[in-house]
Amino acid sequence: MANTFQVDVVSPEATVWSGTATLLMAKTSDGELGIMANHEPLMGSLVTGPVTVEAEDGTRTTIGVHGGFLQVLNNQVTLLTDRAQVATGGKEEARQVAEELAARDGD
């Protein structure tokens, strides 16, 4: 059984996703990151795009995010995003969702 860690994806409106995961992939201003259990502490600035979370049960959830921050501390990953939405169609749909969220900046 793979080691796990807690993941919380939070926007100002709601908690978009919360649960136990074995892997999280996200893109920051420094590049794409793969986070697994017991990762070193880290903070990063999220860029608009997809975030993929592989849950403890093996299911994958892809979330489109627009801006915000990622924090890894004490086996917990928190993504504080300006806007986020779960995408049902995978990474490409999440990228489109993230771009649509970014386009709302003018609203």
Side-chain angles (χ1 to χ4, degrees):
M1 179 173 215
N3 293 330
T4 61
F5 58 97
Q6 178 65 33
V7 175
D8 295 298
V9 180
V10 182
S11 74
E13 291 84 28
T15 298
V16 177
W17 194 92
S18 182
T20 306
T22 57
L23 176 67
L24 179 132
M25 299 291 293
K27 190 169 183 181
T28 69
S29 57
D30 292 326
E32 191 164 9
L33 297 173
I35 307 291
M36 296 178 78
N38 303 311
H39 195 284
E40 289 291 319
L42 163 72
M43 285 199 72
S45 176
L46 291 168
V47 297
T48 298
V51 171
T52 303
V53 181
E54 188 169 312
E56 184 176 17
D57 65 4
T59 59
R60 286 191 178 197
T61 301
T62 308
I63 305 163
V65 300
H66 171 58
F69 297 93
L70 172 142
Q71 177 184 11
V72 180
L73 184 64
N74 297 328
N75 222 26
Q76 180 168 352
V77 177
T78 305
L79 281 72
L80 300 173
T81 69
D82 297 335
R83 295 186 181 103
Q85 182 178 325
V86 173
T88 57
K91 202 169 187 177
E92 188 54 42
E93 182 185 328
R95 189 178 332 278
Q96 292 172 350
V97 166
E99 290 171 4
E100 290 169 10
L101 294 171
R104 293 185 198 168
D105 273 345
D107 293 349

